[in-house]
Amino acid sequence: MVTDARIVRSQEALLSAALEKLHHSPDATLSEIAQHAGVGRTTLYRLFPSRDALIRALALHCLGRMDAVTAPITQQAQSALDAIRLLFQYVMPLTREFALLMRVDQLLADDPEVVAIHRKHHRELAELIDYAKRQKEISAALSTVWLVGLIEGLFHLGWSVQTEHGYSAEEAAEMAYTSFTQGAQR
Amino acid sequence: MVTDARIVRSQEALLSAALEKLHHSPDATLSEIAQHAGVGRTTLYRLFPSRDALIRALALHCLGRMDAVTAPITQQAQSALDAIRLLFQYVMPLTREFALLMRVDQLLADDPEVVAIHRKHHRELAELIDYAKRQKEISAALSTVWLVGLIEGLFHLGWSVQTEHGYSAEEAAEMAYTSFTQGAQR
DNA sequence: ATGAAATGGAACAGTGTTGTATCATAAACA
DNA sequence: TGTTTATGATACAACACTGTTCCATTTCAT
């Protein structure tokens, strides 16, 4: 009961192509995606029964990557603020995945499973911020929902400067952390 | 040579409805927009010859609003940083317009006039930031392109918390300014 | 009140996308 | 090497949206 080598190759090519096309323009055609993957449109429909199924699989794939990358943070972080620093550092290379997930609400009407994992990420980030506030590592002047949004926005900005201005993921992560902690003044 | 009252009413209703629908989901149907405006689809096509024409008119409308709102800043600002504070304060109530303009690249293939004005705004913001850097009001540690993106991201975040969490425009502007200048630390 | 103009409904063709079915060909497996 | 299985090309129906035309009705202007 081993899956044919052609299937896994096609699946990977399709998910990769879909990631690239869909985060660029969310209403990319399945023909475009298949073509960009070097795969026939028929094969796409054979592996992913519908457009939603493809997007759903892609979203779950991206969420899985995020989970995998952020898992070790809990062990390594010296403090709550350090966890946020590591978060920028580890997630910034995955900005394509992150950017797609930011559009998932728009792409996927509402898939219960995807939405559930998405909310879980959100909640964990909020908990991290609240913890940092209690530890007096970050100011309580800004509300938690604002700070969650700020971090997400900094990821988005990091993706933007990487793709449009040739910054490296490390540079982007450092700028994001600086922006988050100190801002721009003085 | 006065335009009929019905025409201006329909135009305003259509632009308003288009603003609301398109910044929510960029591929909203013209039927949806017309219906949401309480106007027949035929009328929409009579006033705006094509989908692109409507989006183009809407983009120019939003750009005009932005210009009108930001014009007095040059006179009023006490310093470069104060100009940025006023920018947040004055533009934050227009986040719907701002949010649509952020998607204009995606909505409008590439209209030369719209793109030109858009670039002008971008350039002016970059010049303001560079000036603030020369005045030692903000740090040179973060690149200008990053800071331009940061400000745009803060506008986006401001729109988000207004619509999704019931914050007022004033609150959003203040949080944005705090985030920009000080960040979240301590 | 009357003429002029805008409106909205319906029906239409054109187009592009989704999703399905068929079949000859190519590649993987044993 | 032979068998099984995935592939891709083509053709197809269903559907939604765009953009146009026509016409009866409503609303504005004077």
Side-chain angles (χ1 to χ4, degrees):
Chain A
M1 185 51 205
V2 189
T3 28
D4 195 301
R6 288 168 286 185
I7 292 182
V8 298
R9 223 187 303 146
S10 298
Q11 274 185 345
E12 284 171 10
L14 281 168
L15 284 179
S16 175
L19 177 56
E20 199 149 327
K21 285 287 177 185
L22 286 176
H23 100 272
H24 180 267
S25 66
D27 38 345
T29 303
L30 294 191
S31 305
E32 289 181 65
I33 293 171
Q35 192 173 352
H36 191 258
V39 159
R41 198 170 67 94
T42 316
T43 303
L44 194 160
Y45 274 103
R46 210 173 277 119
L47 299 179
F48 303 96
S50 71
R51 182 171 224 276
D52 269 13
L54 171 64
I55 295 177
R56 188 186 130 86
L58 183 58
L60 290 176
H61 172 79
C62 292
L63 287 167
R65 297 273 297 150
M66 298 276 290
D67 273 333
V69 156
T70 54
I73 290 182
T74 327
Q75 309 302 326
Q76 295 178 12
Q78 311 277 333
S79 66
L81 206 52
D82 194 45
I84 292 175
R85 188 183 63 80
L86 290 174
L87 187 67
F88 281 127
Q89 188 178 314
Y90 291 163
V91 174
M92 203 56 92
L94 274 67
T95 37
R96 279 197 331 189
E97 283 81 356
F98 186 84
L100 184 123
L101 287 175
M102 300 245 320
R103 297 198 169 182
V104 85
D105 310 328
Q106 184 186 334
L107 285 165
L108 224 52
D110 35 11
D111 181 272
E113 186 177 359
V114 172
V115 171
I117 305 182
H118 213 245
R119 284 196 196 285
K120 190 185 128 208
H121 285 188
H122 229 265
R123 196 177 58 245
E124 286 174 355
L125 186 51
E127 283 169 4
L128 177 58
I129 289 170
D130 282 333
Y131 179 69
K133 279 183 178 174
R134 284 199 299 277
Q135 300 297 115
K136 311 285 186 196
E137 291 186 78
I138 67 175
S139 155
L142 296 169
S143 69
T144 300
V145 283
W146 177 271
L147 290 174
V148 169
L150 179 56
I151 289 176
E152 289 190 352
L154 288 169
F155 277 122
H156 187 77
L157 180 52
W159 158 72
S160 166
V161 297
Q162 283 181 70
T163 56
E164 287 174 33
H165 298 97
Y167 284 65
S168 71
E170 292 78 28
E171 289 171 323
E174 202 178 317
M175 291 192 291
Y177 185 66
T178 302
S179 301
F180 181 76
T181 52
Q182 302 173 228
Q185 198 167 16
R186 195 127 68 103
Chain B
M1 185 52 206
V2 189
T3 29
D4 195 303
R6 290 167 284 185
I7 292 182
V8 299
R9 224 188 303 146
S10 298
Q11 275 184 345
E12 284 170 10
L14 281 168
L15 284 179
S16 176
L19 178 55
E20 200 150 325
K21 284 287 177 186
L22 285 177
H23 99 271
H24 180 266
S25 65
D27 39 345
T29 302
L30 294 191
S31 306
E32 289 180 64
I33 293 172
Q35 192 173 353
H36 190 258
V39 159
R41 198 169 67 95
T42 317
T43 304
L44 193 160
Y45 274 103
R46 229 185 315 265
L47 300 178
F48 304 97
S50 71
R51 182 172 224 276
D52 269 13
L54 171 65
I55 294 177
R56 188 187 131 85
L58 183 58
L60 290 175
H61 172 79
C62 291
L63 287 167
R65 297 272 300 149
M66 297 277 291
D67 273 334
V69 156
T70 55
I73 290 182
T74 327
Q75 310 301 326
Q76 295 178 13
Q78 311 276 334
S79 67
L81 206 51
D82 194 45
I84 292 175
R85 186 183 62 82
L86 290 174
L87 188 66
F88 281 127
Q89 187 177 315
Y90 291 164
V91 175
M92 202 56 90
L94 274 67
T95 36
R96 276 195 335 187
E97 284 81 356
F98 187 85
L100 185 124
L101 288 175
M102 298 245 324
R103 297 199 169 180
V104 84
D105 311 328
Q106 183 186 332
L107 284 165
L108 223 52
D110 35 12
D111 180 272
E113 186 177 358
V114 172
V115 171
I117 306 182
H118 213 245
R119 284 196 196 286
K120 190 185 128 209
H121 284 188
H122 228 265
R123 195 177 57 245
E124 286 173 356
L125 186 51
E127 283 168 5
L128 177 58
I129 289 170
D130 282 334
Y131 179 69
K133 279 182 177 175
R134 284 198 300 276
Q135 299 298 114
K136 311 283 185 199
E137 292 186 79
I138 67 174
S139 156
L142 296 170
S143 69
T144 300
V145 284
W146 177 271
L147 291 175
V148 169
L150 179 57
I151 288 175
E152 291 190 350
L154 288 169
F155 277 122
H156 186 79
L157 180 52
W159 159 73
S160 167
V161 296
Q162 282 181 72
T163 57
E164 288 173 34
H165 297 96
Y167 284 65
S168 72
E170 293 76 29
E171 289 170 323
E174 201 179 318
M175 291 193 289
Y177 185 66
T178 302
S179 300
F180 181 76
T181 52
Q182 304 173 228
Q185 200 167 14
R186 203 150 32 142

